[in-house]
């Protein structure tokens, strides 16, 4: 999957914004101001970091050895860095959804309610 397609997919989700809070090459996607995805725009091959349940993170790292690795500069228990072109696009979208859903579930109930009311 190309980074432009990944960007469009993330932005299609409810309550998502994008920005460059760290530097000019790390695109960060947030839902209700909480980060759920980071994309390295200058990385070759392209890579993205996504939040993941710890047990599933380990399983993915074992299944996709070298293509899914512990999160780069992130909590390695909860984040994976994924080489985008080296896993199936369908799986990348599924993992993006999973990351988004984990963040939404961690939001305060009032913020979740605000998110649900967005168009």
């Amino acid at each position: 999957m190309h980074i432009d397609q990944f960007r469009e997919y993330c932005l299609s989700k409810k309550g998502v914004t994008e920005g460059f809070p760290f530097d000019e090459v790390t695109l960060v996607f947030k839902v209700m101001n909480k980060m759920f995805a980071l994309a390295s725009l200058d990385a070759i091959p392209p890579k993205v970091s996504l939040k993941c349940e710890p047990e599933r993170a380990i399983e993915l790292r074992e299944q996709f050895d070298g293509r899914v690795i512990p999160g780069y500069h992130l909590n390695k228990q909860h984040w994976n860095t994924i080489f985008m072109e080296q896993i199936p696009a369908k799986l990348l979208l599924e993992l993006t959804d999973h990351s988004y859903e984990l963040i939404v579930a961690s939001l305060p109930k009032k913020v979740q309610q605000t998110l649900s009311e967005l168009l």
Side-chain angles (χ1 to χ4, degrees):
M1 173 177 287
H2 192 272
I3 192 71
D4 290 335
Q5 294 168 304
F6 179 79
R7 177 180 175 266
E8 286 177 29
Y9 186 75
C10 288
L11 291 175
S12 73
K13 298 187 151 307
K14 192 183 282 194
V16 171
T17 58
E18 65 180 336
F20 292 91
F22 305 119
D23 55 39
E24 299 89 31
V25 296
T26 306
L27 180 58
V28 175
F29 297 94
K30 295 180 178 183
V31 56
M32 303 305 282
N33 213 30
K34 286 200 69 175
M35 185 171 62
F36 75 95
L38 298 90
S40 300
L41 300 180
D42 64 343
I44 299 174
K47 60 185 175 181
V48 63
S49 294
L50 299 168
K51 191 159 188 172
C52 190
E53 291 178 344
E55 290 177 14
R56 187 166 187 206
I58 292 168
E59 291 171 8
L60 288 164
R61 293 172 197 165
E62 291 172 355
Q63 182 179 359
F64 296 97
D65 187 34
R67 297 172 283 167
V68 176
I69 60 175
Y72 182 70
H73 287 299
L74 296 162
N75 181 323
K76 296 180 182 352
Q77 183 179 2
H78 296 279
W79 289 82
N80 279 332
T81 295
I82 301 161
F83 292 89
M84 296 174 66
E85 296 175 347
Q86 298 178 12
I87 68 166
K90 182 178 179 181
L91 177 60
L92 181 60
L93 297 180
E94 176 190 321
L95 294 174
T96 303
D97 291 343
H98 178 64
S99 181
Y100 176 89
E101 291 162 6
L102 285 172
I103 296 301
V104 169
S106 74
L107 295 171
K109 296 296 179 196
K110 188 173 183 177
V111 177
Q112 288 182 27
Q113 179 65 33
T114 301
L115 177 63
S116 71
E117 293 170 358
L118 294 177
L119 295 175

